[in-house]
Amino acid sequence: MLTEELAVMRVDERSDIPVKSCRQAAPKVRILAAVPRSGSTLFMRIFQEAVECAVTSRLILMGNHGLRGNFRPDYTIFQNPEALAVYREAQARGKSILINKEELGHECWKGECDYEIFPDKSYIERTEPAFLFRDPLRVFDSWKAVGWTDIDSLLIAYRHLYHTWSACDHSAIAIPYEELINSPDKTLERLCHHWGIGFSYDLLTFQHPFGEFLFGSERERRIYSVDNPLGLFNTVQSNQTVNADIRSHGLLTIEEKDRIERNLGGIYMDTYGDRVKAVRGALLQKTHFGFDLDDTLHEFRKASGAASASIVEYLSEHNKITFEELKETYAGILAKTTSGAFAEGKTSEDYRRERFTALMQAYEIEAGNETLQHLLGLYKASLQTALTLKSGALELLSKFKGLDKKVILVTEGPEDAQKWTVEELGIADKVNVLITSNKFGRTKTEGLFGIVLTELGVEAKNFVFVGDNMARDIMPAVEAGIMTVHYCESENVRLELGGLRINSLWKLSELLTSSEDEI
């Protein structure tokens, strides 16, 4: 091990790069471990701003790249760090800490997904590692965006990373990536304290050009500074601070979401520690759980879009009008006729008949009763075929009976249509009460939540509401004094009691479950 004594000039056997003699203290090594596409490069850029830090990447994963034979991790950074040019360069620059971003791979067949990052416990004690965990749904969504589609590799790598962290003692900490996004200063200050780095808000404003890192090889330098393969660094390179508004690509199927959440959901939540316990405690105190129906518990936009398309397609084929023209006109009619949130008390057939009539009249198509009845039947059949529960909805609703909680649906829509939808989705036996704007003549923004509390005889403090629409679900519920959970598939998870947000119903299910039972 290199000490604070004079370091003599030597040449790295692999790089042939001479390093000048210097009388500098030996840098401490710190490890940030993650699976790919978890935001670890953002942390590299953050600590690039720290005057006492040098930052490098993948010394263990890529140290033996290009050598013959199967993949073998390179543990030189632990066993003989002064043999590495990046370590000597960090020392020559007077850096007291060398941070190595270490990743597992994305191809399990190579053996890169479950190799031991710390084969000796002493390596953990010396490097005080931090383990970065990003929401696994967002990780695989990012994988798919760059063409990595092996879900098994994600499951293996993510679980291996978790168990590596779990086997560590107080020398290691877990950092949920979403905590950095939602509370960058507090999260970074926690990590700086763990690593013995001076925290400054300036670390969150990037002054150095992207890529001014130390590299273990020319190949690594080209990846970060020249090639940027698959656009891997586009986001972190284009932002000068932590950007909280990075939306999902929306590439995951329901089946992929289910599989990821079943296997990794509990693991991810466990990395939040006391924070998730606080949220769980607050939720379990509630006696009534309210849900919006459309686009919260089922894929309403997709189902209604398929049903509307069947109407437009039929009229297009029988009247020689382009599909796109009819579709655009019908979208305008929908916007006008649904603005009242179905509080007028009409049936679903009344509303649909009005819309279909308006569409045909716009093109002077005869709106006879026989044609309208055919369209009504076609719409309902298409809607029925397309109805699909959201990922995790059935599992979540099934949990409440065992918890002795009441499930209340509060929805804006025709009473008959919403009852029919609940029956067709197969969740009627899991719902205690259905309350609609149609029945009470009030929308959510006009006081429907107050009516809900009165009808149920429950205090707002005992009620929590889950919905996808900030303006029509969350804000009116908050105004009524109700705790809310914003369900938004495209955004990041936020485990804060004043603004709880989830991107899958599985996560709410996990929040109602003791993590020890799931892992």
Side-chain angles (χ1 to χ4, degrees), residues 320-367:
K320 296 182 179 179
I321 306 171
T322 67
F323 180 91
E324 290 302 322
E325 184 179 354
L326 281 164
K327 180 181 177 181
E328 183 177 351
T329 302
Y330 188 64
I333 293 170
L334 270 176
K336 292 179 181 179
T337 56
T338 60
S339 59
F342 308 100
E344 299 90 345
K346 301 175 185 178
T347 67
S348 59
E349 188 169 298
D350 292 336
Y351 287 112
R352 292 166 189 169
R353 187 185 296 272
E354 289 176 2
R355 297 200 298 265
F356 301 158
T357 299
L359 179 60
M360 289 189 287
Q361 288 178 345
Y363 294 94
E364 298 182 349
I365 302 170
E366 184 178 351

Side-chain angles (χ1 to χ4, degrees), residues 126-414:
R126 284 185 309 193
T127 60
E128 300 181 355
F131 291 80
L132 180 61
F133 294 92
R134 188 183 186 187
D135 177 358
L137 289 184
R138 295 300 299 270
V139 173
F140 196 58
D141 181 68
S142 186
W143 279 28
K144 292 187 74 174
V146 297
W148 302 347
T149 59
D150 185 6
I151 194 171
D152 289 317
S153 289
L154 172 67
L155 300 182
I156 292 170
Y158 204 101
R159 185 170 286 276
H160 181 66
L161 186 73
Y162 172 80
H163 286 303
T164 303
W165 165 64
S166 299
C168 297
D169 54 19
H170 62 276
S171 298
I173 62 171
I175 301 287
Y177 169 80
E178 284 70 23
E179 282 203 333
L180 174 71
I181 295 302
N182 294 316
S183 302
D185 52 343
K186 293 180 181 178
T187 305
L188 184 57
E189 187 172 15
R190 175 173 168 245
L191 180 55
C192 285
H193 177 76
H194 177 68
W195 277 345
I197 297 171
F199 170 74
S200 168
Y201 290 98
D202 292 339
L203 297 178
L204 295 168
T205 302
F206 308 144
Q207 302 296 331
H208 291 77
F210 176 79
E212 286 190 352
F213 311 127
L214 301 184
F215 300 102
S217 68
E218 174 62 15
R219 181 177 183 274
E220 286 288 283
R221 186 194 70 79
R222 289 194 61 85
I223 287 174
Y224 282 90
S225 303
V226 181
D227 299 334
N228 186 19
L230 305 175
L232 293 176
F233 310 120
N234 285 351
T235 300
V236 67
Q237 190 171 6
S238 62
N239 287 279
Q240 298 307 307
T241 188
V242 176
N243 187 348
D245 192 28
I246 305 298
R247 298 294 181 109
S248 163
H249 300 285
L251 299 178
L252 304 193
T253 66
I254 288 179
E255 292 75 20
E256 288 171 334
K257 292 177 183 178
D258 286 347
R259 190 175 178 204
I260 290 171
E261 291 285 28
R262 285 182 189 277
N263 284 276
L264 305 178
I267 281 175
Y268 170 66
M269 284 296 177
D270 193 51
T271 65
Y272 281 86
D274 291 340
R275 183 184 291 271
V276 80
K277 293 177 183 177
V279 174
R280 178 178 292 128
L283 288 171
L284 290 175
Q285 289 178 3
K286 309 302 179 184
T287 58
H288 291 69
F289 282 72
F291 290 87
D292 175 50
L293 178 59
D294 297 340
D295 289 317
T296 298
L297 292 179
H298 80 108
E299 302 279 2
F300 173 74
R301 285 188 182 88
K302 293 179 181 178
S304 62
S308 298
S310 69
I311 300 302
V312 172
E313 184 177 4
Y314 177 86
L315 293 176
S316 175
E317 290 178 354
H318 289 78
N319 296 279
K320 296 182 179 179
I321 306 171
T322 67
F323 180 91
E324 290 302 322
E325 184 179 354
L326 281 164
K327 180 181 177 181
E328 183 177 351
T329 302
Y330 188 64
I333 293 170
L334 270 176
K336 292 179 181 179
T337 56
T338 60
S339 59
F342 308 100
E344 299 90 345
K346 301 175 185 178
T347 67
S348 59
E349 188 169 298
D350 292 336
Y351 287 112
R352 292 166 189 169
R353 187 185 296 272
E354 289 176 2
R355 297 200 298 265
F356 301 158
T357 299
L359 179 60
M360 289 189 287
Q361 288 178 345
Y363 294 94
E364 298 182 349
I365 302 170
E366 184 178 351
N369 186 62
E370 183 176 344
T371 301
L372 283 171
Q373 285 301 123
H374 177 76
L375 294 178
L376 288 168
L378 178 61
Y379 184 93
K380 189 172 185 178
S382 300
L383 185 65
Q384 184 178 37
T385 300
L387 283 176
T388 306
L389 282 169
K390 288 284 188 180
S391 173
L394 185 61
E395 291 78 6
L396 173 61
L397 294 176
S398 299
K399 185 182 290 287
F400 288 111
K401 187 174 183 180
L403 295 172
D404 195 27
K405 310 294 184 184
K406 302 297 183 184
V407 174
I408 317 298
L409 297 190
V410 184
T411 176
E412 294 178 325

Side-chain angles (χ1 to χ4, degrees), residues 93-150:
R93 294 183 184 186
K95 303 297 183 180
S96 60
I97 292 177
L98 174 64
I99 297 173
N100 176 44
K101 178 194 85 171
E102 197 54 56
E103 284 185 339
L104 299 171
H106 68 275
E107 295 174 308
C108 60
W109 62 273
K110 292 182 178 179
E112 296 177 349
C113 295
D114 57 355
Y115 71 89
E116 294 299 330
I117 301 176
F118 304 100
D120 189 289
K121 187 177 180 180
S122 66
Y123 300 163
I124 297 172
E125 296 170 351
R126 284 185 309 193
T127 60
E128 300 181 355
F131 291 80
L132 180 61
F133 294 92
R134 188 183 186 187
D135 177 358
L137 289 184
R138 295 300 299 270
V139 173
F140 196 58
D141 181 68
S142 186
W143 279 28
K144 292 187 74 174
V146 297
W148 302 347
T149 59
D150 185 6

